[in-house]
Amino acid sequence: MLKRIICVVIALALFTSLFACSDSTKGGGSDTKESTTTDPNAGKSNLDIALEQQGNVNLEGMTFRILTPNPGSHFYYFSGATENEVFYEELGSEPLSNSIYMRNLEVSEKLGITIEPVWAGNTGDITAMVQQAVNAGDTDAFNVVLNRLDALVSNATNGLLLNYYNIDTMNLENKWWDKHIIDAFTMYGNKLYTLSGDINYYDDYAVEIVIFNHNICKDAGFDFPYKDVKEGTWTVDKMFTMAALGCSDLNGDGLFQENVDIVGIGENADCIIHFIYSYGLKMSETDENGVPVVVWANDQNTSVIDELYNYFSDSTLVNISYSNATAFNNSKEFFYLDMLGTLANFRNMEDNFGILPMPKGDPSMDSYKAYVSNGWTTVYGIPSMFNNEQANKIGTVLECLSAASADHVTPALYDQLLQSKYIRDEESQEMLDYILDSKVYDWAGDLEWASSLRGVYQNILSKGSDSFASSMESIRRATTKSLEKLAESIAELEY
C-alpha cells in the first residue's frame, strides 16, 4: 500500500510539472499571444478554473458511474486490449492510460467522489442498458454513458437523454468542450444531447486523414507535401497527380494488384463520402434552427461527384478495399486514407511515413475540411431518469473531468502518445493542428435515417456518376420522411 501511495505522489508531481501550463486543443486552441491585461486565471490549471466555476463544491462521497464500452471493444482494439477512455486501476507504462488514471484521481480527491466504470460489451448492449435504466428509473445503475455518437443520437430521439442546455452546472462555452460537435448537433438553438471534448479522444481519432509513404514519395521525385499543406496548396488534384507518378507495376504484368504492385491510393467503399467534405460539401446541412436537411442533387455536388468518379474509377491508380492497411504496411501503397485512430496499425512499419490533412477539393477554400465518422466518435450523454438536482451534480463532475482531461489527457494524447509513438517526424506533428481543425460533422454520417442516402454515394463507383441525380430522387420521399421523424422527435422532447 505504501509503495502505491509513493508511486501516486511521484506521478502526480510529474504530471503537474509537465502539464501545469497545458491548454485544450478542442475548444479552439490556446491563446499564446502576449496580453497587457491581467488574466484572472493565469497560473491556474483547467481543473482549478472548473472548480471555481462550480463554487468549490464537495459532493460528499458520491459514486460516479460511467457506462462505457469494454476495454479493447469499439475501435479501441486498434490500440490494444486494455484501451478505453474512462478508467484504469493503476499506473502503468503508457502515458495516455496514466493520464486518465491521474485525471480520475485528482477529480475524485477534489470533489470527494469515487469514479467507477460500468463496462458493457458493445454498442448495442449499451443502448439497451440505457433504455432499461430509464424505464426502471434506476439512478444507481450509472450517471453518464459514453458510447458511439450514432448510437447515442438514437437514445436521444427516444427520449432517453437529458438536454445539456438545461443543466445549470454545465457551461458549453468552456474551452474543454468540442465546439465542432456542439455547433453541429445543437438543434432548435437550445437542444443538445451528445457532447465530447477533452474528456474523451475518440472524437479526434474519428477524423479522416491521409497517410503517405516517405520512401515512395522520394523515389517518385517529390518533396514531402508538408509545405503544400502550410501554404494552403495541398489539393485533391495534387494528391492524385503524385499518386499517379508513384505507382509501379512491380511484376510487369500490366496489372495493378493489391499487395503485389505499388498502388497510388488506398481507400474503401466510402471514398466518395469521405471526399465530398474536401470540397466543402456535406450529405446534409443544418437550417437556421439547427435541423438537418438533405443536400439533394444540384449543379455543385453533381460536378464534384463527376470529378471524384473520374479519380476513383481508375483501377490502375486507386485500390478500393478494406484490407488496404496491410498493403500500406508492406510499402505497397503511396497514400492510404483512414481515420486518425488507425495509425496504431503502422507502429511497426519498416518504412517511415507521414500524415496530412485531407486535401482541398477547391484550392480557393479558406481551410481544410475532413469527414468525421459518427461511428468512430464517442460522446457522453446523461440518462433522463435523473431530476434537476441530480443532473446538476452530474454536470459538475463532467465539467471537472473534462477540465482535468485538458490538463492531463489531451497533452498525453497530443504531445506524448501520438507524437512519440505513432508519428515519426516533426512535420507530421505540425500536421495534427491542421487535422484536428478540419473536422466536419454531418447528421447523415452513420445515423440510421440516412442509410439510403449514404448508399447513393457508396454506389457511385458501381453505377457511375450519371446515376447520382436519379438515385437521389428515388430516395427523396422515404429519406425526407425519416428525417422529419427524427427532427420531430427532438422537437417534442421536454427535457
Side-chain angles (χ1 to χ4, degrees):
M1 178 68 178
L2 179 60
K3 183 177 179 181
R4 182 177 179 184
I5 293 173
I6 292 173
C7 289
V8 169
V9 171
I10 292 173
L12 184 57
L14 176 63
F15 270 76
T16 301
S17 64
L18 283 173
F19 304 136
C21 297
S22 69
D23 206 344
S24 170
T25 63
K26 294 192 179 184
S30 59
D31 184 1
T32 58
K33 296 180 181 179
E34 293 184 4
S35 174
T36 57
T37 60
T38 301
D39 181 359
N41 293 323
K44 297 178 183 177
S45 70
N46 288 295
L47 179 57
D48 287 338
I49 296 170
L51 289 167
E52 289 183 4
Q53 290 178 356
Q54 300 296 326
N56 292 305
V57 65
N58 187 296
L59 297 180
E60 300 175 346
M62 175 186 182
T63 298
F64 189 80
R65 297 185 176 92
I66 305 173
L67 177 63
T68 179
N70 279 334
S73 62
H74 183 51
F75 290 101
Y76 299 148
Y77 65 84
F78 278 103
S79 299
T82 63
E83 179 85 354
N84 75 90
E85 301 172 87
V86 169
F87 187 86
Y88 289 87
E89 289 278 0
E90 57 188 6
L91 291 170
S93 60
E94 295 292 335
L96 187 55
S97 59
N98 286 345
S99 71
I100 293 172
Y101 176 89
M102 296 309 302
R103 171 199 71 186
N104 292 349
L105 177 67
E106 189 173 5
V107 171
S108 296
E109 291 177 347
K110 296 289 187 179
L111 291 181
I113 66 174
T114 300
I115 297 173
E116 292 182 356
V118 179
W119 304 116
N122 55 46
T123 297
D125 294 336
I126 293 174
T127 300
M129 291 172 71
V130 173
Q131 178 81 64
Q132 183 178 10
V134 171
N135 288 347
D138 185 1
T139 57
D140 292 324
F142 42 82
N143 302 91
V144 294
V145 54
L146 177 72
N147 203 2
R148 291 171 45 142
L149 173 58
D150 53 343
L152 272 190
V153 168
S154 176
N155 280 154
T157 58
N158 290 321
L160 302 178
L161 301 178
L162 292 179
N163 180 4
Y164 281 105
Y165 284 101
N166 290 341
I167 299 174
D168 295 336
T169 54
M170 298 288 299
N171 182 359
L172 301 181
E173 296 297 321
N174 278 328
K175 58 189 175 183
W176 44 79
W177 298 120
D178 188 345
K179 292 295 293 179
H180 293 97
I181 208 162
I182 292 171
D183 292 343
F185 287 92
T186 294
M187 290 182 67
Y188 302 106
N190 61 359
K191 291 194 172 188
L192 177 69
Y193 299 88
T194 59
L195 186 60
S196 67
D198 291 270
I199 193 172
N200 59 310
Y201 55 90
Y202 264 70
D203 57 327
D204 289 339
Y205 274 9
V207 63
E208 177 95 349
I209 64 169
V210 177
I211 314 171
F212 74 100
N213 184 298
H214 278 187
N215 292 353
I216 297 175
C217 189
K218 288 186 290 188
D219 290 345
F222 293 109
D223 293 330
F224 298 157
Y226 302 126
K227 183 179 179 182
D228 295 320
V229 172
K230 295 176 185 178
E231 293 179 349
T233 58
W234 173 235
T235 63
V236 173
D237 183 66
K238 181 166 289 186
M239 186 180 77
F240 274 85
T241 299
M242 292 176 67
L245 294 174
C247 291
S248 181
D249 181 12
L250 296 180
N251 61 5
D253 65 357
L255 303 174
F256 281 85
Q257 297 174 300
E258 180 180 330
N259 222 17
V260 174
D261 303 302
I262 295 178
V263 178
I265 295 174
E267 246 282 11
N268 63 45
D270 286 329
C271 58
I272 302 295
I273 293 177
H274 295 161
F275 267 81
I276 63 171
Y277 300 89
S278 292
Y279 291 76
L281 304 179
K282 298 171 68 175
M283 291 183 287
S284 70
E285 297 280 3
T286 51
D287 65 16
E288 65 277 6
N289 294 316
V291 177
V293 292
V294 173
V295 180
W296 299 107
N298 57 48
D299 290 343
Q300 184 182 20
N301 60 15
T302 298
S303 175
V304 168
I305 293 297
D306 286 339
E307 183 173 324
L308 291 175
Y309 175 76
N310 290 332
Y311 280 132
F312 282 101
S313 59
D314 185 351
S315 60
T316 66
L317 176 62
V318 179
N319 186 46
I320 305 299
S321 168
Y322 283 99
S323 57
N324 274 314
T326 300
F328 186 81
N329 234 328
N330 292 333
S331 302
K332 294 296 191 294
E333 286 178 350
F334 188 171
F335 294 102
Y336 171 70
L337 288 81
D338 211 330
M339 305 301 110
L340 177 62
T342 63
L343 281 177
N345 278 327
F346 312 114
R347 70 183 89 191
N348 298 317
M349 183 172 166
E350 184 174 341
D351 281 1
N352 281 331
F353 60 85
I355 63 171
L356 305 163
M358 291 292 285
K360 295 178 181 179
D362 181 349
S364 68
M365 291 171 59
D366 292 335
S367 60
Y368 298 98
K369 302 294 183 183
Y371 166 85
V372 179
S373 167
N374 293 343
W376 266 78
T377 297
T378 54
V379 286
Y380 275 87
I382 303 176
S384 57
M385 65 269 197
F386 296 102
N387 61 34
N388 288 341
E389 181 181 356
Q390 293 167 327
N392 282 333
K393 289 181 179 179
I394 292 170
T396 292
V397 179
L398 285 176
E399 287 283 351
C400 290
L401 280 174
S402 199
S405 296
D407 293 331
H408 296 304
V409 179
T410 297
L413 172 74
Y414 199 89
D415 296 330
Q416 291 191 24
L417 184 64
L418 281 177
Q419 294 186 4
S420 65
K421 189 171 182 180
Y422 298 151
I423 295 178
R424 304 189 179 184
D425 60 332
E426 292 184 6
E427 290 90 346
S428 284
Q429 296 173 18
E430 295 178 39
M431 296 297 104
L432 281 173
D433 288 329
Y434 292 95
I435 289 168
L436 296 180
D437 284 342
S438 70
K439 295 195 296 185
V440 178
Y441 288 98
D442 191 333
W443 275 91
D446 296 305
L447 297 183
E448 185 177 354
W449 73 267
S451 58
S452 295
L453 177 60
R454 293 191 300 275
V456 171
Y457 289 87
Q458 291 163 339
N459 290 330
I460 291 297
L461 291 184
S462 61
K463 292 185 175 182
S465 58
D466 291 344
S467 69
F468 179 64
S470 59
S471 294
M472 289 288 276
E473 194 61 34
S474 71
I475 67 164
R476 181 186 289 266
R477 182 175 179 181
T479 300
T480 300
K481 185 176 181 179
S482 295
L483 183 52
E484 288 174 349
K485 182 178 179 181
L486 181 149
E488 289 170 2
S489 65
I490 297 294
E492 292 171 358
L493 295 176
E494 297 179 358
Y495 42 80

